[in-house]
Amino acid sequence: MKTLAGQPEILVVDDELHLRNSLSALLRIHGYSVSTADGGESAMEALQNSPFDLVLLDLGMPGVDGHQVMEWIKAQQLDTCVIVVSGDTSIDSAISALRRGASDFLRKPYETDELILKIENALSKRRLEKENKAINLQLRESERWYRYMVNSSPDIIYTLDANGCFTFCNDRVESLLGYHKETVIGKHFSTFIHAEDLETAQHVMQERRAGGRAAGSVEIRVPHGTESRLLTLEFNSFGIYDETGSETPPSYIGTYGVAKDVTERKKAAQLISYQAYHDLLTGLANRMLFKDHLELAIAQARRYSHMLALMFLDLDRFKVVNDTLGHAIGDNLLIEVAARLKNCLRVGDTLARQGGDEFTLLLPQIDSQEDAIRVADKIIKSFGAPFHIDGHELYVSMSIGIALYPGNGGNIDTLIKNADIAMYDSKAKGRNRYQLYASDMNVTFAERLSLEIQLRKALERNEFQVVYQPQINVISGRISGMETLVRWASPLLGYLSPQEFIPLAEETGLIIPIGEFVLRSAFNQARLWKHAGLLPQRIAINISAQHLEQEGFVAFIAQLLQEFELEGSMFEMELTESVLLNDGDHIIEKLQMIAGMGIKIALDDFGTGYSSLSYLKKFPIDTIKIDQSFMRGFPGDSGNESIVTAICAMAQGMQLNLIAEGVEETEQYRSLHTLHCNEAQGFLFSKPLSGRDITELLMKDAPLGPQHLRPQHCFNL
Ligand code: C2E
Ligand code: CA
Ligand code: CA
């Protein structure tokens, strides 16, 4: 490689051999590396093959002459310098060679010193040129980089003079804010700042401190130049000082700043904080925001000695809407409910959704409890009109509990708790009403709460059991069927009867998993008995209205039959009259499907409700069960006796199976026989027993009840 730094490479081109040789020898002595060419053609060949720093070119040569070689070098843009040598005395050829780009001209014959001097000059000129070019290139490159970096910065970069007018800004101001750079330069910063943020802007825009002490990260709103939007920019700036002068201290020139677009980040932060404080479905305040407002309101009420009211509102039977019509309609209903509630309020009141179908309302300043009652009244009345949701006309009501400050509590937690207690009280008193908190409500609420918590846990912990109570054939005394009854063995509360927890289970929806548990247990027991060849004629299971109404109930039963490989005819479902009153067509279809599987249907607690005979015809009912309350004072109590007599006669007329419940005395048994009631159930025959105890009874296959008192003629049967 021939480089400028090493030995300069020289090509000597001459057609005269002795000249070539003497020149080469001379140049080598002076430390140059020399190659030779004997004519234009071989010169071009040599130049093509390797670079030379300098060409010593004879102009007058036969064939391709020096001029043509010059022409060729120019055309090829070869990076080399040329000194032409000529015996020609006319100045013309020298000028034309120089014009073609030769660095110098030497006339033959020449002095050695002259030659060496010209070569040295040409080479050092060439070296300088090369260095200059490299420096220029570097400068252009770094300037380009600097410009590129400043202009393609995602942030606005600017400088202001000491008066606060722009002296520089990068291209970003155009793409971000829609201003041409030229229109910004020279303008005062206040031209661009949102009016409300001007004061904040003063500090950061006229920052005199430099370095780490300067103001950092100040958010300022800036209107867009051409569009009607407001951007939020985060400014960082510091003072610039002229340190070139000799003055001490250095003089303040202006500020240098960077503005970052944080509009999206700001929006996201706002959204997050909105979500943290609002219920997304209804747009109402959430629990957190409500507490904030309540805390503030209590502080105000304390300072200015006024009252405030807190209401706890709960939709009645919202669960039914959700379960029967689906969550989408349930959600829409909640949105409408929120809107209707808002209509009942004044500005300053806070309405919040606590979750589910529970709302809280804060009236931050009232004069008397009547003010709160008036609002509660208004709300209850406003729910008198139906809601129209997706083609459904829905009537919903609210139960409201009210707690007042300072009378019913002096802090957030007590007020919320007491309003909640009052709400439960209004539910207990029949729903669709409001109730002011009273101190004696506390006990019942605490009981309820602990029961509810325990009930939820009971399912996971397997605390439920089922027992079976035999139903006997009045004539033979033998078991004709049994009723499945659920029990709750709570380690905390003891052995609980269904009456103590079924109402709460229904209210909380836990009746569904409990009902499923009972069904599974009964089916499982039926399979055990079937395999042991002990099957009673019929296993009755109590079905709660809510469970029956649930979508998929029929499918669930069908699946159970298949899973346990049992026939429907082994089972009976006990329903209460209220089920049949609810929604005729819907239920009738379900009952027909159940009857279609061979499952019998019994009407439980007959005589206590409407006891309308019309639905006995309308629904596929096989059995009616005379409510046990009619056994009290029977026989003897004339009222009960006539009712039982009438029911027995009716059942016979309609050819329905009839079971008398709660039979405890021999006299009752005897009378039922006389009235031709065909089945009976009660402590006289057996208490509800575990599956294992029932298995023993079934194996004995003996008549139950007082043998010696069995009606005489029965013994012959
Ligand atoms: P029910 O369907 O009327 O059940 C009969 C109730 O009377 C049972 O009470 C039974 O133990 C009781 N009993 C039986 N013979 C006599 C008697 O000679 N004298 C008296 N005084 N009582 C007698 P239990 O087991 O406490 O059930 C109470 C109610 O709870 C049931 O009334 C039924 O409505 C409901 N229930 C029980 N098990 C279930 C269940 O698995 N699912 C549903 N949904 N409800 C159930
Ligand atoms: Ca029953
Ligand atoms: Ca009953």
Side-chain angles (χ1 to χ4, degrees):
M1 262 302 286
K2 295 107 185 166
T3 60
L4 278 172
Q7 248 181 354
E9 290 282 343
I10 298 180
L11 178 66
V12 174
V13 188
D14 206 308
D15 54 330
E16 283 176 59
L17 177 69
H18 74 276
L19 259 174
R20 280 204 307 274
N21 287 345
S22 63
L23 253 176
S24 305
L26 178 72
L27 293 176
R28 283 196 185 101
I29 291 167
H30 278 86
Y32 298 110
S33 159
V34 185
S35 307
T36 58
D38 60 2
E41 223 150 331
S42 54
M44 291 189 307
E45 205 184 304
L47 282 164
Q48 205 146 41
N49 291 336
S50 55
F52 288 92
D53 296 302
L54 189 129
V55 183
L56 219 51
L57 180 64
D58 184 21
L59 282 179
M61 290 182 294
V64 177
D65 67 7
H67 293 286
Q68 282 168 298
V69 174
M70 288 292 310
E71 207 70 61
W72 180 82
I73 287 175
K74 202 174 159 195
Q76 296 288 311
Q77 294 185 321
L78 290 186
D79 177 28
T80 183
C81 62
V82 182
I83 297 178
V84 291
V85 186
S86 172
D88 201 339
T89 45
S90 88
I91 193 77
D92 286 355
S93 66
I95 288 173
S96 96
L98 289 171
R99 231 186 240 140
R100 285 193 178 96
S103 325
D104 213 341
F105 178 81
L106 202 62
R107 191 177 308 145
K108 290 182 194 172
Y110 43 77
E111 295 288 321
T112 308
D113 289 351
E114 194 189 359
L115 169 74
I116 296 301
L117 190 70
K118 291 213 167 190
I119 288 176
E120 296 271 83
N121 277 346
L123 285 175
S124 83
K125 195 173 142 211
R126 174 177 157 80
R127 201 178 304 123
L128 275 175
E129 266 171 19
K130 281 217 163 193
E131 275 168 12
N132 248 342
K133 219 157 128 189
I135 288 167
N136 266 333
L137 201 77
Q138 232 171 16
L139 270 177
R140 266 214 307 279
E141 195 72 343
S142 68
E143 142 87 12
R144 214 162 59 92
W145 265 109
Y146 155 78
R147 199 184 297 280
Y148 173 80
M149 284 194 304
V150 168
N151 282 330
S152 59
S153 154
D155 305 330
I156 292 174
I157 298 171
Y158 66 89
T159 54
L160 298 175
D161 63 17
N163 298 320
C165 295
F166 283 96
T167 47
F168 170 84
C169 66
N170 64 349
D171 289 350
R172 189 71 176 115
V173 75
E174 206 163 320
S175 58
L176 192 62
L177 293 174
Y179 288 105
H180 286 298
K181 273 202 300 197
E182 296 70 39
T183 63
V184 174
I185 307 294
K187 294 245 171 65
H188 192 259
F189 69 80
S190 59
T191 326
F192 303 97
I193 306 290
H194 183 59
E196 285 172 26
D197 289 352
L198 265 178
E199 211 182 299
T200 325
Q202 302 286 357
H203 299 287
V204 67
M205 294 297 194
Q206 292 180 337
E207 179 58 72
R208 281 175 174 268
R209 291 166 299 184
R213 290 168 51 245
S217 305
V218 181
E219 280 179 11
I220 293 168
R221 285 169 295 170
V222 178
H224 191 275
T226 54
E227 298 160 20
S228 62
R229 15 188 213 112
L230 206 55
L231 289 98
T232 306
L233 304 187
E234 183 187 87
F235 281 83
N236 280 287
S237 78
F238 42 84
I240 318 173
Y241 289 84
D242 181 9
E243 283 167 3
T244 55
S246 52
E247 310 129 85
T248 41
S251 63
Y252 173 69
I253 304 175
T255 58
Y256 165 87
V258 176
K260 180 193 275 304
D261 177 20
V262 294
T263 313
E264 289 307 314
R265 191 179 81 189
K266 189 94 183 152
K267 266 191 213 152
Q270 274 166 350
L271 186 69
I272 288 166
S273 89
Y274 180 86
Q275 286 177 343
Y277 286 104
H278 289 84
D279 167 50
L280 293 187
L281 179 68
T282 59
L284 296 179
N286 69 3
R287 204 187 284 254
M288 290 246 289
L289 188 56
F290 186 81
K291 273 198 164 181
D292 279 2
H293 285 199
L294 180 57
E295 190 168 8
L296 207 75
I298 291 175
Q300 297 276 57
R302 185 171 296 134
R303 182 172 316 147
Y304 301 109
S305 303
H306 62 235
M307 289 172 75
L308 67 78
L310 188 134
M311 295 191 197
F312 215 105
L313 307 97
D314 190 291
L315 278 183
D316 298 326
R317 300 197 178 83
F318 174 69
K319 218 188 153 312
V320 178
V321 173
N322 236 357
D323 288 349
T324 53
L325 300 178
H327 287 272
I329 290 183
D331 282 354
N332 287 342
L333 177 61
L334 287 174
I335 293 169
E336 294 296 316
V337 164
R340 201 172 281 188
L341 285 174
K342 268 193 255 174
N343 264 340
C344 301
L345 310 179
R346 297 166 306 185
V347 272
D349 297 345
T350 301
L351 177 66
R353 182 168 170 228
Q354 294 284 311
D357 57 348
E358 289 178 350
F359 298 86
T360 44
L361 172 60
L362 166 68
L363 309 179
Q365 185 176 358
I366 56 169
D367 294 328
S368 66
Q369 82 177 33
E370 275 64 42
D371 284 352
I373 289 174
R374 212 171 299 125
V375 174
D377 241 350
K378 196 171 164 191
I379 292 173
I380 300 274
K381 286 214 179 79
S382 81
F383 278 73
F387 287 87
H388 296 279
I389 313 273
D390 301 344
H392 297 271
E393 191 182 63
L394 303 174
Y395 282 88
V396 283
S397 58
M398 276 267 169
S399 295
I400 304 177
I402 307 171
L404 303 170
Y405 172 90
N408 304 147
N411 59 52
I412 296 181
D413 292 338
T414 318
L415 281 171
I416 291 185
K417 192 188 83 194
N418 288 347
D420 197 12
I421 290 172
M423 189 277 290
Y424 273 115
D425 194 69
S426 73
K427 279 231 191 263
K429 289 188 172 132
R431 302 182 157 99
N432 192 25
R433 51 181 289 142
Y434 63 83
Q435 197 65 46
L436 283 158
Y437 172 77
S439 55
D440 58 3
M441 289 174 181
N442 259 325
V443 190
T444 47
F445 175 75
E447 277 171 1
R448 195 204 112 97
L449 201 65
S450 115
L451 193 65
E452 184 173 335
I453 291 165
Q454 295 304 317
L455 192 62
R456 284 184 194 282
K457 289 182 182 164
L459 267 165
E460 301 160 22
R461 295 182 186 164
N462 258 328
E463 290 170 9
F464 293 105
Q465 304 166 354
V466 292
V467 289
Y468 302 90
Q469 186 175 34
Q471 299 166 328
I472 58 112
N473 179 302
V474 168
I475 295 171
S476 67
R478 288 211 158 77
I479 295 173
S480 53
M482 34 201 121
E483 180 178 2
T484 313
L485 295 160
V486 69
R487 297 286 177 266
W488 176 16
S490 162
L492 211 75
L493 308 167
Y495 202 66
L496 294 174
S497 94
Q499 259 122 354
E500 290 168 276
F501 65 85
I502 294 275
L504 184 64
E506 285 182 326
E507 207 176 305
T508 52
L510 288 167
I511 191 65
I512 310 275
I514 293 174
E516 288 179 356
F517 166 80
V518 171
L519 278 161
R520 283 198 158 271
S521 306
F523 273 60
N524 190 46
Q525 185 60 261
R527 183 168 57 182
L528 290 175
W529 284 331
K530 185 186 170 185
H531 289 172
L534 289 171
L535 202 64
Q537 289 171 24
R538 188 187 58 224
I539 296 172
I541 302 159
N542 293 290
I543 304 293
S544 126
Q546 225 184 92
H547 201 180
L548 180 73
E549 277 163 17
Q550 211 199 25
E551 226 181 273
F553 177 77
V554 176
F556 178 69
I557 299 295
Q559 185 221 315
L560 280 183
L561 284 173
Q562 202 182 14
E563 185 182 333
F564 287 92
E565 299 177 306
L566 296 168
E567 299 83 54
S569 58
M570 297 173 191
F571 298 98
E572 184 165 75
M573 289 188 178
E574 295 193 5
L575 310 171
T576 54
E577 285 171 303
S578 58
V579 175
L580 309 181
L581 287 171
N582 259 359
D583 148 27
D585 290 346
H586 188 59
I587 288 295
I588 208 165
E589 264 171 41
K590 283 200 169 181
L591 292 185
Q592 273 158 357
M593 283 160 85
I594 289 165
M597 296 181 219
I599 297 173
K600 296 183 198 71
I601 292 165
L603 203 51
D604 209 351
D605 305 341
F606 190 78
T608 54
Y610 299 86
S611 305
S612 154
L613 292 177
S614 68
Y615 54 64
L616 286 180
K617 293 200 193 100
K618 194 164 140 200
F619 294 96
I621 289 160
D622 305 279
T623 302
I624 51 179
K625 299 185 75 175
I626 307 173
D627 190 67
Q628 49 181 286
S629 62
F630 295 110
M631 288 299 120
R632 254 171 263 137
F634 170 85
D637 177 313
S638 62
N640 277 351
E641 190 163 344
S642 55
I643 290 172
V644 174
T645 309
I647 295 174
C648 287
M650 182 203 70
Q652 277 159 44
M654 297 178 78
Q655 295 187 309
L656 291 166
N657 187 33
L658 186 64
I659 304 178
E661 274 191 293
V663 179
E664 294 180 356
E665 291 155 24
T666 315
E667 270 316 293
Q668 293 168 339
Y669 180 25
R670 210 193 290 275
S671 299
L672 288 168
H673 181 266
T674 315
L675 289 170
H676 301 290
C677 173
N678 48 336
E679 291 189 44
Q681 175 184 351
F683 296 162
L684 181 66
F685 312 101
S686 171
K687 296 210 162 197
L689 299 171
S690 69
R692 186 186 302 226
D693 290 345
I694 292 284
T695 307
E696 267 175 41
L697 272 187
L698 288 173
M699 279 162 66
K700 273 191 219 148
D701 192 29
L704 298 177
Q707 305 298 322
H708 63 286
L709 287 171
R710 196 171 299 285
Q712 285 300 305
H713 61 273
C714 289
F715 289 111
N716 308 326
L717 285 171

